[in-house]
Amino acid sequence: MQLLASGLALGLLGCPTVGPEPPDPNEPVPPVTCADDGAPLSLTRVTADSLKDAPGWIQICTLCPATSIELAADVPLFGAWTGTFGCAVAFPADVPPEETTLAVDVTVHDGERIGEATIEVAMPERGENPEDLGSATYRIDLAAEGAYRVPSSPLASALTPGDELPELLVHLGEPDLDGGRVVTVGLTEVGETTQDLCQPTEQWALPATLDRRHLIAPLAAGDRLPAPFGAIVEGGIFQAEMRASGAAFNSGSILARIDLAASEAEFGMAPDELCDVFTSFFGTGICVPCADPSEGTAGLPTCVTTVQEFELAPATNEPLIPVSAADLPPECSEA
């Protein structure tokens, strides 16, 4: 087997993996043709494409497009394809263990060929939950300098530093008997820190968990990330680390599978037409099946995967006010 790019190669099951010799700087790297049956099962990325030291999420990229990529750990993972089946990303779908790293088993399928590897993913530090969350509403500037989007996201062109965009408001409800908290999201007015009462709020279907200052909030099929940060999703995960005082979230990220079919009325075109537009604009296909990469590449490519990060989300002084799309104030239609 040949070592490529990342310093990690996958061996075929049942065959020993022989460590490669150091590359000869005087010899060119032999070309690899992915159309060949013998193209190596190699990983070119085993760390998240993130600006953070311990982003808490996983990104695996293969040298050639894979048939499927399975990611398994001691905690359930929510995964998604990105691009043209060369990469998979995944977030913990539940609060991870309190270790500094998370061991993730990777299985790559290329037809009948299978390769395996185990990687270590750095996890954020933990601590005791704050006793009082105040308004329990937090402002997230996803257009701030240092905010990050996974490459090839259709939102990346709209979310660049310096753009005049609203901020995302995230409110956590009081804990229920199981510790779950209802998540409601809204938007600020553009250029302001106050809530835009002409923008409907959205309540996610599943409760969030805040465990030793680590927040995991799942997005269920039909939940929505407000535009311009998303649309109706097929699924996703919001995660962040809360400060000991409860005054802010640090080091947060959002993984979403944007459901183009469910959002057709908003986008104004069918998924296949929209995917053609994306391909023309970005120069590569970014539409993928609305499924976990472990389920393979079958299915219509009617989702787009986005990962968005933020460094700091301060608490607001005011709670989030529920706003129904059916009951917007009259002045909203006049604006």
Side-chain angles (χ1 to χ4, degrees):
M1 294 297 291
Q2 185 179 18
L3 193 71
L4 296 172
S6 70
L8 175 66
L10 299 175
L12 295 180
L13 288 183
C15 301
T17 301
V18 179
E21 296 295 327
D24 186 344
N26 298 317
E27 292 292 331
V29 176
V32 173
T33 302
C34 292
D36 292 345
D37 292 337
L41 284 174
S42 292
L43 301 180
T44 59
R45 174 178 288 278
V46 294
T47 57
D49 192 359
S50 169
L51 301 178
K52 305 178 188 302
D53 293 331
W57 56 279
I58 304 146
Q59 183 174 358
I60 298 294
C61 296
T62 58
L63 177 69
C64 296
T67 305
S68 65
I69 300 176
E70 300 174 22
L71 303 172
D74 289 339
V75 62
L77 301 175
F78 178 90
W81 286 107
T82 64
T84 53
F85 311 121
C87 292
V89 292
F91 278 33
D94 201 352
V95 177
E98 293 185 45
E99 284 77 22
T100 57
T101 60
L102 180 69
V104 179
D105 295 325
V106 181
T107 305
V108 177
H109 294 256
D110 176 25
E112 296 182 356
R113 298 196 304 160
I114 300 175
E116 293 183 324
T118 298
I119 64 172
E120 297 288 332
V121 179
M123 302 302 294
E125 295 182 0
R126 305 281 287 280
E128 293 297 329
N129 284 346
E131 295 183 2
D132 183 8
L133 298 187
S135 71
T137 301
Y138 299 85
R139 292 190 294 107
I140 303 176
D141 186 355
L142 290 173
E145 188 172 0
Y148 180 78
R149 273 70 52 186
V150 160
S152 79
S153 163
L155 306 179
S157 61
L159 299 177
T160 54
D163 278 351
E164 280 291 304
L165 293 173
E167 296 184 8
L168 183 67
L169 293 170
V170 176
H171 174 75
L172 303 179
E174 292 292 328
D176 59 24
L177 295 178
D178 297 321
R181 296 173 180 268
V182 172
V183 178
T184 308
V185 295
L187 295 173
T188 68
E189 297 188 33
V190 175
E192 303 291 338
T193 60
T194 53
Q195 180 181 352
D196 187 345
L197 297 178
C198 288
Q199 296 293 334
T201 54
E202 305 285 345
Q203 182 174 300
W204 293 348
L206 300 175
T209 300
L210 181 63
D211 185 298
R212 292 186 59 81
R213 304 214 313 258
H214 187 89
L215 179 76
I216 292 286
L219 285 82
D223 283 344
R224 182 190 299 271
L225 276 172
F229 308 112
I232 298 173
V233 304
E234 190 278 334
I237 299 289
F238 174 99
Q239 66 174 9
E241 308 307 311
M242 181 171 282
R243 286 188 178 177
S245 65
F249 281 119
N250 293 326
S251 190
S253 48
I254 308 170
L255 165 62
R257 295 197 298 234
I258 305 297
D259 191 336
L260 303 183
S263 305
E264 182 173 340
E266 297 178 36
F267 292 133
M269 61 181 68
D272 56 342
E273 297 174 321
L274 190 56
C275 288
D276 289 342
V277 171
F278 288 154
T279 300
S280 176
F281 183 82
F282 293 103
T284 184
I286 62 171
C287 293
V288 294
C290 299
D292 190 283
S294 64
E295 299 176 18
T297 59
L300 296 175
T302 57
C303 272
V304 171
T305 298
T306 66
V307 175
Q308 302 172 73
E309 291 189 333
F310 59 91
E311 286 293 340
L312 177 67
T316 69
N317 294 324
E318 300 293 335
L320 188 68
I321 299 173
V323 178
S324 168
D327 299 315
L328 292 176
E331 57 267 23
C332 293
S333 59
E334 301 170 0

